[in-house]
Amino acid sequence: MAPIPRLPAAAVPRLPLVPDPLHRIRVPKDLDAVTTIDPGEEPLAGGLDRRAVDHIWSAVVDLYRSGVHPAIQLCLRRHGKIVINRSIGHARGNGPDDAPDAEKVLVTPRTPYCVYSTSKGVTAMVVHLLQDRGLLDIQDRVTKYLPDYGRHGKEKTTIAHVLAHRAGVPTLPREVLDIDRVADTDFVIEAISNSKPFVKPGTLLAYHAISGGFILGEIVRRVTGKTIREVLAESILDPLGFRWGNYGVAPEDVDQVGVDYLTGPRLLPPFSNLAARVLGQPVELVVETANDPRFQTALIPAGNVITTGDELSRFFEIFRAGGILD
C-alpha cells in the first residue's frame, strides 16, 4: 500500500476555534497552588477524622475541575466546631472571558461573595426576631404597616403570605429593577403597592425573587424606625462580631467582593424565559448587575447579603444552637 502523502503545514486547513459550549474557566494544573486552608480547622474536635475531611474535600476539588466554578468556598461546622474551612480557585481574573494574562486574585476563606437568595433566610430571621419582641405578628395584614399596599385586591395579604411566597406579586415592574432606582425605597414600595396580584394572595405558591424582600424590609423600617440593615447589625451581627453578613457592603469594601461569572451551558428557551420571568430580567443581566458597585452597596433584602462561607455558616449556627452563639 502506498504511503499516505503528507500535506505541507501551510496547506493544512485551519478550522475556526469553536467556543466552549460549557463556557468554562481555565483549570490550573497545580490545584494546590490555588487552594487555601484555614488553620483554624478542627476536624477532630468536631468528631471527624482526617480521612473523612479528605473525602469531602476531594468532592469539592472534583467539582472545581469541571471548569464551571471560578471559585468555591466550603465551611462545614459540626457540633459547633469548624471541621472544614477551605477555598479553591480565583476571586477574579480567571473567568471564562478573562484574558489568559489577566491579573488573577486567589480566593480565600475570607473572600466575601453575594449569596443572592440566601438573603431571604437572613431577612426572615430579622422578621421573626421582631415578632419575638412583640413589634409585629406575621399573621398581621401587610396593610397594617403599609396602608397603600392594599390596592388591586391585595388588602388581605399577610406578612406570612410574603414570607411563604404566596403574596401573588412574584414579579416586579422592570423599572423597579433599574440599578439607579433600586435604592429609592419610596419609589420601589409605591411600585409594589400599585402592582396587581396575578392570583388571589395566599392561594398559590410562586417564587418571589425580589419583591417580598422589599415588602418585609419596609415593614421592619416602619415598626422600628430603622432600616433592616441597621436592625440586623445592631441585633445580631455587631454583638456577635461578624465582619460581613449584611445587605451589601460599605463603598470602601467593594473591591474585596469576589466577582461573579456567568458559566456553564447557555440557558435556552423555554428555561431562559422562565428564569427571566422569575428573576425579573435575563440571567446574563443578573450576573452583570451583581458585579456593579451600585448593587453591592444597595439594600436589597431578598438578594444582596454579602458574606463568606465561614460567616454564613456561623450565622445559621445560631439556629442549631437555639439562639445562642459561642
Side-chain angles (χ1 to χ4, degrees):
M1 181 181 293
I4 299 175
R6 294 181 178 273
L7 294 175
V12 176
R14 299 258 180 198
L15 297 177
L17 293 176
V18 179
D20 180 2
L22 292 181
H23 209 52
R24 292 172 290 199
I25 66 166
R26 301 174 186 86
V27 178
K29 293 182 179 179
D30 184 359
L31 296 184
D32 288 340
V34 295
T35 298
T36 304
I37 300 176
D38 190 325
E41 288 186 353
E42 299 180 274
L44 296 179
L48 293 186
D49 57 27
R50 182 55 58 185
R51 182 179 178 182
V53 170
D54 291 344
H55 183 69
I56 294 170
W57 184 246
S58 69
V60 174
V61 174
D62 287 343
L63 187 62
Y64 179 70
R65 283 197 181 100
S66 70
V68 295
H69 298 281
I72 301 175
Q73 281 181 348
L74 174 65
C75 182
L76 175 63
R77 279 175 162 81
R78 191 167 190 262
H79 303 315
K81 302 297 182 180
I82 299 176
V83 294
I84 297 178
N85 190 21
R86 303 182 181 187
S87 62
I88 184 170
H90 296 90
R92 60 185 70 226
N94 193 32
D97 297 321
D98 288 333
D101 59 351
E103 181 183 2
K104 294 175 177 57
V105 178
L106 200 66
V107 66
T108 77
R110 293 171 297 282
T111 304
Y113 279 92
C114 176
V115 294
Y116 294 99
S117 286
T118 304
S119 309
K120 295 176 176 63
V122 176
T123 296
M125 175 78 152
V126 174
V127 171
H128 283 83
L129 184 65
L130 296 185
Q131 169 148 340
D132 282 350
R133 294 176 178 175
L135 295 177
L136 57 80
D137 189 312
I138 64 170
Q139 300 305 328
D140 289 339
R141 293 185 180 185
V142 172
T143 52
K144 179 178 179 179
Y145 309 96
L146 312 180
D148 292 339
Y149 183 79
R151 302 170 190 162
H152 307 300
K154 302 194 301 297
E155 66 278 356
K156 293 184 179 180
T157 306
T158 66
I159 297 175
H161 290 153
V162 180
L163 286 166
H165 298 260
R166 293 180 179 274
V169 287
T171 58
L172 290 173
R174 187 61 60 90
E175 61 269 19
V176 174
L177 299 174
D178 184 337
I179 193 65
D180 287 319
R181 305 207 68 171
V182 74
D184 186 345
T185 302
D186 292 338
F187 168 77
V188 171
I189 295 302
E190 171 61 22
I192 295 175
S193 297
N194 204 41
S195 63
K196 297 180 181 179
F198 83 106
V199 293
K200 181 181 178 182
T203 60
L204 185 65
L205 175 68
Y207 186 62
H208 289 50
I210 296 295
S211 56
F214 283 124
I215 297 168
L216 297 171
E218 182 62 9
I219 290 174
V220 170
R221 190 178 73 85
R222 298 284 177 97
V223 301
T224 66
K226 301 176 181 179
T227 66
I228 191 170
R229 175 188 277 158
E230 293 170 322
V231 174
L232 175 60
E234 294 173 4
S235 301
I236 301 175
L237 303 181
D238 291 349
L240 295 175
F242 280 79
R243 169 67 175 89
W244 308 101
N246 215 320
Y247 307 100
V249 296
E252 60 269 23
D253 287 332
V254 166
D255 61 353
Q256 297 191 50
V257 180
V259 174
D260 286 330
Y261 292 96
L262 189 66
T263 65
R266 181 187 175 196
L267 201 59
L268 300 173
F271 302 108
S272 58
N273 298 333
L274 176 61
R277 283 200 299 270
V278 169
L279 299 173
Q281 53 190 8
V283 173
E284 295 83 358
L285 187 55
V286 171
V287 175
E288 179 182 336
T289 300
N291 290 321
D292 192 305
R294 291 169 294 179
F295 175 88
Q296 294 176 351
T297 56
L299 199 176
I300 305 175
N304 82 328
V305 164
I306 294 178
T307 189
T308 64
D310 178 13
E311 290 212 348
L312 185 61
S313 169
R314 186 168 181 257
F315 181 88
F316 285 108
E317 175 71 7
I318 297 172
F319 292 92
R320 191 201 66 82
I324 299 173
L325 189 63
D326 301 337

